[in-house]
Amino acid sequence: MKYAFVTGSTAGIGLAITQKLLNEDCFVFVNFAHDEDNARVAGEALSEISSKYCIIKADMSNIEGVDIACEMIIKQCPQLDYLILNSYATDKSDFKQVSLVQWQHVMDSNVSMPFFLMQRLYDHMAESGSVVCMGAMMGIYPHAISISYGVSKAALHMLCQSMVKVYASKKIRINAVCPGFVDTPAQIGKAPDHRQRIESKIALNRFAEPFEIADFCYSVLMNSYINGAVIPVCGGYDMA
């Protein structure tokens, strides 16, 4: 049996990735930080697919949460085959109002804790395993709405590529998948005129569905030669 850990996986892209992995007969460690109701609903949906999952409540924005998750995973599975770093934070405060605490929270969530999660789980990762970092198009294209988010995602892309040599001795592949705009709960709530402005910048004139990103992530996990890649999955954003 293959074992996977997907951070931030009770909603949106993370949930879709979990569903895909369960459909492929993996055992999945599912993760959430705070929203118990959302986790319960996700668990109900996942149980319709498979019983091969374990939900871990652990906040991936701090080292205590990372340690909780790693301890549970190391105890409950012989080795981890797939690691999908999907949890994130953003901050849309006005530039002049951004505090050090807010900035640090985004950096911790999107860069620092992924690093320490990979560090903690390194010895438990299976030979020829695979890691996917969930990057973002906003880490490729400058975006002033959340500077900390864009900067942190760009740093995550570099972290991903920097880890290639670290993982090479175990033949573990690591890649960054960079979605554009996806119909997650956060995006669905946008005002119609805002969505239309975004869609007009996408060659396919629509947001992605979470399952489309999940299917691509799975193909990257499975491909035995993709390594160190930063891959846009954006429908042709900024090409319309």
Side-chain angles (χ1 to χ4, degrees):
M1 181 183 295
K2 300 293 187 181
Y3 291 87
F5 178 35
V6 187
T7 67
S9 47
T10 57
I13 294 171
L15 178 59
I17 293 171
T18 298
Q19 291 168 323
K20 175 66 176 178
L21 289 166
L22 288 177
N23 277 316
E24 298 295 336
D25 205 31
C26 291
F27 185 100
V28 185
F29 292 97
V30 186
N31 164 247
F32 76 104
H34 304 295
D35 194 334
E36 299 273 2
D37 290 338
N38 196 56
R40 177 182 52 77
V41 171
E44 292 170 355
L46 296 175
S47 66
E48 296 180 3
I49 301 172
S50 172
S51 61
K52 296 177 181 178
Y53 67 90
C54 172
I55 298 179
I56 299 173
K57 182 179 181 181
D59 188 345
M60 292 293 105
S61 71
N62 59 63
I63 199 67
E64 292 80 12
V66 166
D67 287 342
I68 288 169
C70 291
E71 183 178 350
M72 291 185 68
I73 291 165
I74 291 167
K75 282 183 177 179
Q76 295 187 39
C77 75
Q79 60 183 11
L80 193 66
D81 299 277
Y82 311 126
L83 174 61
I84 299 89
L85 300 165
N86 175 71
S87 60
Y88 74 97
T90 190
D91 175 28
K92 296 181 180 179
S93 301
D94 180 82
F95 166 68
K96 292 183 178 181
Q97 303 302 317
V98 176
S99 69
L100 178 59
V101 170
Q102 290 168 308
W103 180 270
Q104 193 62 54
H105 175 69
V106 174
M107 295 299 158
D108 283 346
S109 300
N110 298 355
V111 187
S112 301
M113 293 310 113
F115 172 83
F116 287 108
L117 187 58
M118 287 188 281
Q119 182 193 68
R120 299 289 199 275
L121 290 174
Y122 178 83
D123 289 335
H124 205 64
M125 288 291 295
E127 293 277 339
S128 301
S130 189
V131 179
V132 165
C133 300
M134 194 58 63
M137 290 302 294
M138 296 302 102
I140 298 173
Y141 292 95
H143 197 255
I145 296 299
S146 178
I147 295 175
S148 58
Y149 178 80
V151 170
S152 65
K153 287 296 186 178
L156 180 65
H157 300 167
M158 181 54 70
L159 172 60
C160 169
Q161 294 181 315
S162 298
M163 286 294 296
V164 170
K165 286 188 177 181
V166 175
Y167 278 135
S169 63
K170 297 186 74 170
K171 296 183 172 58
I172 295 170
R173 292 166 291 101
I174 179 169
N175 297 282
V177 172
C178 305
F181 290 89
V182 184
D183 261 333
T184 60
Q187 298 293 349
I188 291 171
K190 279 182 165 53
D193 60 332
H194 190 182
R195 285 178 61 93
Q196 287 171 6
R197 286 195 298 274
I198 294 169
E199 289 167 352
S200 70
K201 297 180 181 179
I202 302 170
L204 293 180
N205 297 123
R206 67 174 179 86
F207 285 47
E209 295 291 339
F211 79 85
E212 293 175 305
I213 307 301
D215 285 351
F216 185 74
C217 285
Y218 185 75
S219 70
V220 171
L221 286 171
M222 294 298 106
N223 190 289
S224 59
Y225 204 67
I226 298 176
N227 197 21
V230 177
I231 313 168
V233 187
C234 61
Y237 180 78
D238 215 27
M239 299 179 188

